[in-house]
Amino acid sequence: MAKIKDIAQRAGVSLSAVSIAMNGKRGLSITTRERILKIAHELDYHSSRQEKYPGVIRFLKIALHGNTVNENHSIFINGYIDGMIEQAGKLKLSLEVAHYQGISVEQIVEKQSSLQPVQGVIILGTEFEQADFSALKNIKAPFVIIDNINDFLPYDFVNINNRGAVFKILHHFQRSGLTQIGLITSFAHTPNFQQREAAFRELVGQVGLAFDNRDTLSVNSTLEDAYQAMKHYLAAGRPLAQGYFCVNDIIACGCLKALKEYGLRIPEDISLIGFDDLPISAVIEPPLTTIQVFNKKLGAAAVDLLYQRISLGKSSSHTNILICGALIKRASVQIKSHGLPHQESLSGYSHPR
């Protein structure tokens, strides 16, 4: 059986760092903590904490295609893990982290049967589509799915309240005096993107904003792809809306880069709002207005819900938990006087509506 020194040696950290990570204490960066937990899982290590707290739960960090679950979002997902670790410790549970990338859900579920049994499982469902859920019925332990939601499946879900967040975004555009808003969405297979786009289309008129479907751009979910797609969009000479909602910060930052290179001023000519409040959104120029997702709260809520399932056993009813985000107002949205026409941009572009 692996020992604590084996984990420390492979991770390149001290014995005390491994102890801190395994006991869910503060004092490590998110990245270091996750690396230690991953190595401990690979080595099938079980700490004295796990002997003291026999309840062990496992987090499956799953990247089916990697368009969203990738390095750009690692700090975001690590926030989930931090919330899980803290709440698990309060409930006398230990947390394992298992990483899977580029394999099917069926293969992941099959691998669980060869691992040491745990009391419950939390599944990162960021990249899950409808067909991916069917294999989960073969998981023996209680489980909760985080970062996704589906009203028609008999599973427990914890997710951001996408619809409420999009309403806050649209309301901010409206209060800022903008009238014509566009949408920059993604064709990446990510249900949260689809939910945000659906909420935008449903609510934009209700908030009193005008939306023309021609003011829609669909891109991949990487910064470079968003940047290139916006460059092509601008090169085609298409008219622009006054402002755009982007379904996440990475897409917003890629588009912002292309808009600035084209000579458009942010926010004087074009306003942008993103989603997720990733660190890049605060340091890009200008800083990006966005939605802060309380990912530690989501992680803690997933542990709480799983603990209920472990304690109460199977139930015919299932729970969907939505946690609201907060609008972080920065400098990427122009505050205009209501009723004044939007000015022409320096590049020669004008807003025709």
Side-chain angles (χ1 to χ4, degrees), residues 168-179 181 242-243 265-273 286-287 289 327-343:
K168 291 178 182 179
I169 288 168
L170 294 171
H171 190 249
H172 183 56
F173 275 134
Q174 191 272 336
R175 288 289 300 271
S176 299
L178 304 182
T179 57
I181 304 302
Q242 294 173 313
R265 301 167 299 166
I266 312 296
E268 292 85 354
D269 301 315
I270 303 290
S271 294
L272 291 176
I273 299 182
T289 296
L327 181 69
I328 306 299
K329 299 177 184 178
R330 298 195 179 104
S332 65
V333 177
Q334 185 184 27
I335 307 300
K336 292 165 51 65
S337 298
H338 286 272
L340 293 180
H342 196 71
Q343 67 194 63

Side-chain angles (χ1 to χ4, degrees), residues 1-261:
M1 180 182 293
K3 298 180 180 180
I4 191 171
K5 66 179 182 180
D6 300 320
I7 301 171
Q9 183 175 6
R10 182 180 292 192
V13 299
S14 66
L15 295 177
S16 62
V18 176
S19 177
I20 289 170
M22 298 304 297
N23 287 284
K25 295 181 179 179
R26 298 180 183 274
L28 294 176
S29 70
I30 295 172
T31 303
T32 300
R33 185 191 303 277
E34 184 181 358
R35 186 171 76 253
I36 292 170
L37 290 173
K38 178 182 179 183
I39 291 170
H41 171 75
E42 291 171 348
L43 295 177
D44 195 26
Y45 171 79
H46 300 281
S47 68
S48 59
R49 173 183 175 84
Q50 291 172 317
E51 295 170 2
K52 182 179 178 182
Y53 302 153
V56 181
I57 60 176
R58 181 177 295 138
F59 175 53
L60 307 184
K61 182 180 177 183
I62 299 173
L64 294 179
H65 49 69
N67 289 331
T68 308
V69 182
N70 52 41
E71 288 186 3
N72 287 328
H73 283 82
S74 61
I75 192 168
F76 185 85
I77 296 168
N78 287 341
Y80 291 149
I81 296 173
D82 255 19
M84 292 176 200
I85 289 172
E86 290 185 12
Q87 193 62 19
K90 293 176 183 178
L91 297 173
K92 310 303 182 186
L93 297 168
S94 299
L95 179 75
E96 297 180 356
V97 180
H99 300 241
Y100 298 100
Q101 184 169 358
I103 63 175
S104 69
V105 180
E106 289 82 1
Q107 291 172 299
I108 293 169
V109 171
E110 185 178 347
K111 286 178 179 292
Q112 299 312 298
S113 63
S114 64
L115 299 176
Q116 183 167 339
V118 292
Q119 278 62 53
V121 177
I122 298 174
I123 301 167
L124 183 67
T126 308
E127 297 183 348
F128 277 45
E129 294 188 273
Q130 186 77 26
D132 297 313
F133 290 103
S134 61
L136 299 182
K137 65 180 180 293
N138 294 319
I139 294 181
K140 304 303 181 184
F143 62 87
V144 172
I145 300 161
I146 192 171
D147 205 26
N148 200 325
I149 196 164
N150 189 302
D151 293 331
F152 309 108
L153 292 173
Y155 301 140
D156 294 319
F157 291 89
V158 177
N159 199 23
I160 175 71
N161 185 343
N162 284 305
R163 189 168 180 270
V166 170
F167 177 83
K168 291 178 182 179
I169 288 168
L170 294 171
H171 190 249
H172 183 56
F173 275 134
Q174 191 272 336
R175 288 289 300 271
S176 299
L178 304 182
T179 57
Q180 184 72 31
I181 304 302
L183 171 68
I184 302 176
T185 185
S186 176
F187 48 77
H189 298 296
T190 304
N192 277 328
F193 294 167
Q194 297 162 6
Q195 293 167 22
R196 292 165 198 173
E197 177 178 351
F200 175 92
R201 293 179 181 276
E202 174 195 355
L203 297 172
V204 63
Q206 297 181 29
V207 177
L209 296 170
F211 168 64
D212 188 318
N213 198 53
R214 293 173 298 176
D215 294 327
T216 303
L217 176 62
S218 187
V219 305
N220 206 340
S221 56
T222 68
L223 191 149
E224 180 63 23
D225 286 338
Y227 166 70
Q228 294 294 341
M230 178 56 77
K231 283 181 64 175
H232 290 310
Y233 187 90
L234 294 169
R238 298 170 65 177
L240 298 173
Q242 294 173 313
Y244 287 87
F245 163 52
C246 305
V247 294
N248 77 352
D249 286 349
I250 296 296
I251 289 171
C253 290
C255 291
L256 187 150
K257 178 183 176 183
L259 290 165
K260 287 176 62 177
E261 285 185 5

Side-chain angles (χ1 to χ4, degrees), residues 276-340:
D276 287 339
D277 194 29
L278 296 178
I280 190 175
S281 66
V283 298
I284 198 168
E285 182 57 41
L288 183 67
T289 296
T290 186
I291 289 289
Q292 180 183 10
V293 178
F294 297 105
N295 42 9
K296 287 184 66 175
K297 286 186 178 180
L298 268 74
V303 172
D304 279 337
L305 183 53
L306 183 60
Y307 183 73
Q308 292 178 33
R309 283 284 174 251
I310 295 169
S311 302
L312 301 176
K314 291 185 177 181
S315 171
S316 59
S317 63
H318 293 83
T319 302
N320 289 348
I321 296 176
L322 295 178
I323 295 180
C324 295
L327 181 69
I328 306 299
K329 299 177 184 178
R330 298 195 179 104
S332 65
V333 177
Q334 185 184 27
I335 307 300
K336 292 165 51 65
S337 298
H338 286 272
L340 293 180

